[in-house]
Amino acid sequence: MENTIKLAATRYAGNPILKPADVTPLLPGFEVIGVFNAGVIRHEDEIVLVLRVAERPVQHDAERYLYPIVDGQTGEVRIESISRKTEGADFSDSREIRTPDGLYLTSISYLRIARSRDGLHFEVEARAALFPANEYEVYGIEDCRVTRLGDEYYLNYSACAPIGITTALAVTRDFRSFERLGIIFHPDNKDVTIFPDRIGGRYYALHRPSASRFGQPEIWLAESPDLRCWGDHRHLLGCREGTWESTRIGASAVPFLTDKGWLEIYHGADESNRYCLGAVLLEADRPWVVKHRCDRPILTPEADYETTGFFGNVVFACGALCEEGTIKLYYGAADTSIGYAEIVLEELWAFMGV
């Protein structure tokens, strides 16, 4: 029998809690067009967001389109341009420019820290926490997840470059200084979330390899002895034809350990590139075993700031907190801003039929 229980995700009335106008551009001659897809963690008496900030050159030439690129050797950002009349160039996607010579992103993304005592009102730091700095990051760094292990906080993020999208790892103890640890998943791979505890003495992570001609972008599980070398890969979760998650799925928030198992908030998209959030429950001691998976999304793009923006009809989470029986969800809205919503855990269990 189909579960008809509805789930009420309570959006904060003051959404979006962070938007481009709240962030001062880091680069001269640039404008902030997006602050979204933030990793989140509670650190001491603060809630810390690791923001993805996207900046692009201010467009002042009607004949030419300006786009940024990072020098992989020096880390310097330069502005390139292309004629809007270039034969074979496609400007239809606001995120990228496709040309016969290659693909270019219209903005550069990097990571920036925001802090809050109440979880709703954030102060954004003026400097970058991590900025593109090598050959793997010349198109930017994106969509950070934060995992606490002991006294250290591990940040994994997508590193984008013409040679592919890899997943890189960094570590911090205070969110003021950061050490890069290198690439942990080869191209093309993203949507990595590292479990916040060892299971049977091993580290585990969810990840999403890009699809080959025989598959779709779906969720896999990997394990590691040291957070650096990942193997024993297993396919975990697939797309479902004709649903809200028919074309691609990927892990979103770092998994939470509950009394019922590991709860993972993940994202899915359909044929129209509409992104929603769902939930799946994994066994506590065997995270490769799926116990329950919701048939319907737990959050869909409905509010104006979710349906309209740089890339509309998108809700996309990289972080959430689970505290006092409530999931506190920080999510990207339309690739433009950050929204906040709460979901009562017991209501989610009923919605999932657990």
Side-chain angles (χ1 to χ4, degrees):
M1 182 176 179
E2 182 181 357
N3 185 350
T4 59
I5 294 176
K6 293 184 178 180
L7 180 68
T10 305
R11 290 171 170 83
Y12 174 53
N15 274 350
I17 60 172
L18 283 172
K19 52 190 182 299
D22 300 325
V23 183
T24 303
L26 188 69
L27 301 167
F30 280 62
E31 61 181 348
V32 175
I33 59 170
V35 50
F36 56 111
N37 296 3
V40 60
I41 199 77
R42 185 175 288 280
H43 172 61
E44 297 178 346
D45 58 351
E46 295 180 318
I47 291 178
V48 175
L49 296 183
V50 183
L51 310 172
R52 173 182 171 184
V53 176
E55 298 188 14
R56 71 179 177 192
V58 175
Q59 302 295 320
H60 53 74
D61 189 334
E63 299 296 324
R64 303 190 68 81
Y65 197 104
L66 307 180
Y67 63 92
I69 194 165
V70 176
D71 187 308
Q73 301 300 318
T74 66
E76 295 181 0
V77 180
R78 66 176 187 269
I79 297 175
E80 303 285 351
S81 70
I82 181 173
S83 171
R84 297 176 185 267
K85 299 179 181 179
T86 299
E87 185 176 355
D90 182 359
F91 299 89
S92 62
D93 190 326
S94 59
R95 301 170 297 179
E96 61 191 32
I97 306 167
R98 292 187 175 273
T99 77
D101 297 326
L103 174 69
Y104 305 96
L105 300 188
T106 58
S107 63
I108 192 79
S109 289
Y110 60 92
L111 305 182
R112 205 154 160 176
I113 299 298
R115 303 172 189 270
S116 172
R117 296 296 181 98
D118 65 3
L120 295 172
H121 304 89
F122 285 84
E123 182 175 343
V124 181
E125 293 189 353
R127 65 188 183 94
L130 287 170
F131 194 82
N134 55 54
E135 62 181 314
Y136 305 106
E137 303 173 353
V138 297
Y139 282 172
I141 56 181
E142 307 174 353
D143 299 353
C144 176
R145 277 79 168 181
V146 184
T147 299
R148 179 178 181 176
L149 291 166
D151 294 329
E152 296 181 314
Y153 300 86
Y154 289 86
L155 287 65
N156 64 264
Y157 58 88
S158 298
C160 303
I163 56 176
I165 300 174
T166 57
T167 298
L169 188 66
V171 65
T172 182
R173 285 178 171 264
D174 56 9
F175 291 95
R176 300 189 186 281
S177 61
F178 303 85
E179 179 188 359
R180 278 179 163 90
L181 300 177
I183 302 299
I184 57 172
F185 283 90
H186 61 72
D188 272 354
N189 204 319
K190 59 194 308 187
D191 296 330
V192 171
T193 61
I194 299 172
F195 286 64
D197 203 355
R198 295 192 190 196
I199 304 170
R202 306 279 285 179
Y203 297 104
Y204 282 84
L206 303 174
H207 65 105
R208 194 194 79 183
S210 69
S212 70
R213 60 184 293 186
F214 298 113
Q216 291 179 286
E218 298 177 330
I219 299 176
W220 287 61
L221 181 75
E223 57 183 273
S224 170
D226 59 4
L227 297 175
R228 305 291 187 91
C229 301
W230 293 88
D232 295 328
H233 300 276
R234 312 183 197 205
H235 181 264
L236 183 70
L237 223 59
C239 299
R240 295 191 281 199
E241 186 176 354
T243 72
W244 60 276
E245 50 182 343
S246 57
T247 64
R248 67 184 68 85
I249 58 173
S252 282
V254 172
F256 312 116
L257 184 59
T258 73
D259 59 357
K260 299 181 185 298
W262 291 102
L263 175 63
E264 167 60 18
I265 307 298
Y266 71 96
H267 62 270
D270 61 17
E271 287 82 357
S272 62
N273 279 325
R274 176 176 176 261
Y275 280 77
C276 303
L277 296 177
V280 62
L281 185 64
L282 310 175
E283 279 197 10
D285 297 327
R286 299 185 299 166
W288 55 88
V289 176
V290 176
K291 295 179 66 175
H292 297 276
R293 180 181 179 182
C294 63
D295 293 322
R296 293 168 289 155
I298 64 173
L299 191 71
T300 61
E302 298 172 4
D304 289 345
Y305 54 86
E306 299 164 350
T307 59
T308 303
F310 186 69
F311 193 76
N313 286 319
V314 172
V315 290
F316 187 105
C318 287
L321 301 174
C322 189
E323 300 177 332
E324 300 177 347
T326 299
I327 298 172
K328 301 176 179 180
L329 188 62
Y330 294 84
Y331 63 95
D335 279 10
T336 302
S337 59
I338 293 178
Y340 174 76
E342 293 186 350
I343 298 173
V344 176
L345 188 58
E346 287 300 322
E347 293 180 3
L348 177 59
W349 293 147
F351 178 78
M352 294 179 67
V354 176

